């Protein structure tokens, strides 16, 4: 997650295209998501706020599925784009489920 977060800061313009058009402040949102990924990764490594980090990460990934990947799947112009959107739906759903598992199994180490 930390590497994904760093990428958000290194190449924000590559990720702006994935932010839905109805949301303002696209570059700021890319930075916020990057920061969330970095903080989540450090929380998991440091065993601090693991439950909160797991649930926040899961919520963020579910938002990605519903606001980015599902609309991309529905509006895909060709089979390759539809396949890529479907793979992203499965990937982020699986990551969200794993993040919820981490959050639910976290002991109060804070």
């Amino acid at each position: 997650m930390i590497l994904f977060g760093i990428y958000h800061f290194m190449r924000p313009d590559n990720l702006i295209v994935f932010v839905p058009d109805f949301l303002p402040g696209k570059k700021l949102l890319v930075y916020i998501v990057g920061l969330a990924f970095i903080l989540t990764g450090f929380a998991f490594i440091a065993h601090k706020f693991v439950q909160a980090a797991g649930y926040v990460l899961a919520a963020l990934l579910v938002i990605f599925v519903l606001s980015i990947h599902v609309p991309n799947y529905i509006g895909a112009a060709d089979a390759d784009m539809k396949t890529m959107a479907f793979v992203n739906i499965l990937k982020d759903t699986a990551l969200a489920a794993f993040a919820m598992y981490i959050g639910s199994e976290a002991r109060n180490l804070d």
Side-chain angles (χ1 to χ4, degrees), residues 35-87:
L35 181 62
F37 283 163
I38 291 169
L39 292 176
T40 299
F42 281 128
F44 289 165
I45 291 169
H47 297 284
K48 298 289 184 187
F49 306 106
V50 174
Q51 187 173 36
Y55 289 145
V56 167
L57 178 59
L60 190 60
L61 291 166
V62 168
I63 290 169
F64 290 169
V65 168
L66 296 176
S67 67
I68 299 171
H69 304 317
V70 169
N72 284 346
Y73 180 79
I74 292 169
D78 60 23
D80 289 339
M81 293 301 292
K82 197 170 202 98
T83 300
M84 182 58 77
F86 186 67
V87 167

